[in-house]
Structure formats: C-alpha cells, structure tokens
Amino acid sequence: ELEEANIGLVLETVYFSMAFLCGFIAVKLELPPLVGFIASGFVLNLMGFDITEGIEIISSLGVTLLLFTIGLKLDIRILVKKEVWITATTHIIISSFLLASFLLFFSIFKEIPLLGDLDFKTTLLLGFSLSFSSTVFAIKILEEYGEMSTLHGRIAVGILILQDLFAVIFLAATTGKKPNAYALCLLGLPIAQKIVWYILEHSRHGEILTLFGMSFSLVAGYQLFEFCGLKGNLGALVTGVLLHSHDKSSELSKSLLKLKDLMLVGFFLEIGLNATLTLDPFYIALLLLLLLPFKMIIYYVLTNLVFLRARTSLLISFALADYSEFGLIVVDLAVSQGMLPGDWLTVIAVAVALTFIVASPPNVYANDIYMMLKPFLYRFQRDKRVLEEEDFSIG
C-alpha cells in the first residue's frame, strides 16, 4: 500500500507539472491558464496516463471550495437588481431552449456520432449546461483591466453568481438524495452563526484564517450536509452564505483564492484524464462554437431592455460570451448519474477551452469594437437609463 501511495504521489507530481507547463504556454499565448490546464489532462491521457485517487480528491476539494467562496460573495442586494436577475434568469431560459433546439435539429441525422442518439430531455440538459458563462474567465478579464468595480463589471459578476446558484440548485436536486431525520439539525445553523462569527473574528489573518475557511466549508458545510442526507456541495454554498455579511468575509475569500484555484487544477486534470479521446467530440465542440454569437446577442438584447447603455451592454456581452467551467461540473454530475454518455464530458471540456480562445480577442479590443459599432448600436439604445447611467447636467 505504501508503494502504491508513493507511485500515486509521483504521478500526481507529474500531472501538476504538466498542468504548469501547459498553463504557462497558454499564458504566453495571452490565453487564460485554464485553457492550458484542460489541455494538460488531454495530453496526459494521450500519453497513456490514468486518473489517480489523489487527483479525484483534489478535484472534489476544489469544487467544494469554489461553492463556498461563491456563498461568501452572494450579495443579495446585487442579485435583486432587475438588470441582474432579469438578465440572468431570462438568458438561462432562452439559451437553454435555443441550444437544445440546435442540438435536437442535428439529432435527426442519425449518422452523426453522439448527436444522433439525443432526445429532447438530454438536449435540454446540455442546453442548460451550455447556457452558463465562465466565472473564472470573466473575473480574470475584469480584474486584468481594472473593471471589477465598474457598472458593467458588477452586473456581469452578479449575473455569474446567479447562474452559479442555479447550477448548485440543479446539482442538489439531481443527486437523488433525500434528507434524513438529522436534517432538522440544519435549522440551528442561523443560531450557530454567532458562534462561527466569533471564531472567524478571532482567527486573525494568514494561515489560521485559511484553515478556518477550509475546515468550516468541509466540516460544517460539506460533511454536515452529507450526514443529513443532502448534497455536500450545497452545504458548502450555504455555509459560505452564513459568513457573507461578516466584515472579514472578503478577506476570507481572498485567503482561499489561491488554494481554491490550485485544487480546481485537479478538476480540469480529471476531465482530460477521464476522457475518451476521439475526433468526434472535437468536431461537435467546433459545432457548438457557432452558437456563441447568438449567446452574446441574447445578453446584449436583454441588458439593453433593462435600460443599460449600448457600451455597458456590449462589454457585459463580451465578458460573458463563452461556455463555463460550471457547465463542466453539471455535465460531470449528469454523466455520473447516467443521464448523459461519458463522451459529452469531453465535448463540453473541449468547447469550454475553445470558447476561451475565441472570447479573448473581443475582450482585449472591446473599446475599439464599440467605437466601430457605435453608430449601429445607438439605434437600439433606450432613452431611459438605470440610475447609475443617467445623464446629469451641471448648473
């Protein structure tokens, strides 16, 4: 057993080294490192390497910490703004049906691998997973250009958080788990909040604060909810929400950022290592790229309808014009539940990586594109404005 553990450790060292190499190449090509991380799993797969138990554990920890940090950022004040919740919910519905219809149309061609076996239920599930936009990509773009605190940055992040919340609800609802009698204990969480806040307040900074976040999300969050017969990832989200309004929630989120990102590398490695590599998933992923302009247009129209300026709508649309790592998590669960063939995980992984490549240039040259399209976009700009974009005259 010790020898097997040592072999596993050596393999995991090789895997993370490959992830670094591919991530570094992606960065040098001015792409998000996530593209490289996904590619590294496929490269290792092609080289004949298999998934290890350690990578699976790291992957699970990464997803749990991701949901916990989403809970920490779940600001209800942002989510209830009409430009956020109307856009997010309407886009999910329209995009899901649009993407499902697209896949359903191609399913009539029975000779096309993977697509020929689809029915309405599976196409709707795939449409739902592809309707999400990438939190990782959008936040990277917004942070890189110092736009996190701008109006379009705040609205884009609000839409992403709401989409992530929809995904978590789906994850919790499709596991087939039913709460047991111990679930009544969860009613005491609001009471326990004061105790947890006290511990957080006295966890100071640095390593202790990071360990608090990791322990609380895994024990009071994941394991407690699993013990109560509920999805553990839902527990991670809920416990994050309990800490959101504390003054140190932002510091806690930042302290977990690097650890969470490192653990998520395991998730992207797992996708590639578990994939069945043929050309068919790659062709279908290329086909899915054709839908990205429609996804962007839907974002633009919806944000325009809630009285945002043309420029704000365009920048939000560019930031969200991709497929999401959360879609990967949804499909991963669907595959494990037997709701989708395993090859679709490869399709979505390739599609996510390709959309990051395609979506990068429009975001880099967003202002130049806006100036070029300005006369056309102004035809559709509404006269009414949200409060933050109203014109004010001096004197």
Side-chain angles (χ1 to χ4, degrees), residues 9-274:
L9 184 60
V10 171
L11 286 174
E12 285 140 22
T13 303
V14 171
Y15 294 172
F16 274 90
S17 297
M18 179 61 77
F20 163 74
L21 178 61
C22 292
F24 181 78
I25 293 171
V27 169
K28 295 302 289 182
L29 294 173
E30 297 188 355
L31 295 170
L34 191 148
V35 174
F37 301 152
I38 293 175
S40 65
F42 290 122
V43 171
L44 289 165
N45 190 325
L46 287 169
M47 293 170 67
F49 289 98
D50 295 318
I51 191 74
T52 66
E53 185 180 356
I55 292 294
E56 290 177 337
I57 293 171
I58 292 169
S59 170
S60 179
L61 288 173
V63 174
T64 300
L65 288 175
L66 172 65
L67 294 170
F68 179 66
T69 53
I70 287 171
L72 288 172
K73 299 172 185 173
L74 205 59
D75 189 344
I76 303 300
R77 294 171 300 177
I78 295 293
L79 302 187
V80 296
K81 286 179 174 289
K82 68 178 186 300
E83 52 267 30
V84 171
W85 73 263
I86 289 178
T87 303
T89 54
T90 309
H91 189 276
I92 286 276
I93 295 168
I94 295 175
S95 290
S96 295
F97 279 98
L98 174 67
L99 291 159
S101 300
F102 178 82
L103 293 170
L104 201 59
F105 169 77
F106 279 96
S107 70
I108 64 177
F109 303 102
K110 299 298 181 183
E111 65 275 9
I112 302 179
L114 293 178
L115 291 177
D117 299 326
L118 294 176
D119 55 25
F120 179 72
K121 184 178 179 181
T122 52
T123 56
L124 196 57
L125 175 57
L126 287 167
F128 177 69
S129 67
L130 291 168
S131 66
F132 302 120
S133 298
S134 172
T135 304
V136 172
F137 180 83
I139 289 178
K140 178 190 178 299
I141 290 293
L142 293 169
E143 286 181 342
E144 187 171 326
Y145 295 101
E147 297 175 346
M148 282 291 290
S149 60
T150 62
L151 179 63
H152 74 267
R154 297 198 308 274
I155 292 174
V157 171
I159 292 170
L160 289 166
I161 291 174
L162 207 50
Q163 286 183 351
D164 294 345
L165 189 57
F166 293 149
V168 172
I169 293 170
F170 172 84
L171 295 174
T174 54
T175 55
K177 289 190 171 187
K178 295 182 179 178
N180 55 40
Y182 294 109
L184 293 172
C185 299
L186 299 177
L187 297 174
L189 282 176
I191 300 172
Q193 184 184 44
K194 294 186 181 297
I195 299 172
V196 176
W197 276 29
Y198 175 84
I199 298 172
L200 174 59
E201 183 65 36
H202 290 82
S203 293
R204 299 188 180 181
H205 314 283
E207 299 90 341
I208 295 296
L209 186 63
T210 304
L211 284 171
F212 165 82
M214 190 169 181
S215 302
F216 187 62
S217 62
L218 296 176
V219 179
Y222 191 97
Q223 294 299 339
L224 177 61
F225 272 63
E226 286 282 337
F227 179 73
C228 294
L230 296 167
K231 180 67 176 171
N233 287 334
L234 177 63
L237 179 78
V238 170
T239 48
V241 172
L242 286 176
L243 299 177
H244 163 73
S245 53
H246 193 282
D247 292 340
K248 291 184 73 172
S249 63
S250 179
E251 183 183 354
L252 176 60
S253 179
K254 289 176 182 176
S255 74
L256 289 169
L257 181 63
K258 298 302 180 186
L259 179 62
K260 175 205 69 179
D261 288 347
L262 182 61
M263 297 290 187
L264 282 174
V265 173
F267 173 75
F268 298 121
L269 281 167
E270 183 183 26
I271 297 301
L273 286 165
N274 281 333

Side-chain angles (χ1 to χ4, degrees), residues 91 94-106 115 123 126-127 130-131 284-299 320-323 344 351 355 358:
H91 189 276
I94 295 175
S95 290
S96 295
F97 279 98
L98 174 67
L99 291 159
S101 300
F102 178 82
L103 293 170
L104 201 59
F105 169 77
F106 279 96
L115 291 177
T123 56
L126 287 167
L130 291 168
S131 66
I284 297 172
L286 285 175
L287 193 64
L288 293 175
L289 288 183
L290 298 176
L291 291 170
L292 276 186
F294 296 100
K295 190 173 184 179
M296 189 184 73
I297 290 168
I298 295 169
Y299 273 125
L320 303 181
D322 51 33
Y323 297 133
W344 275 104
T355 58
V358 172

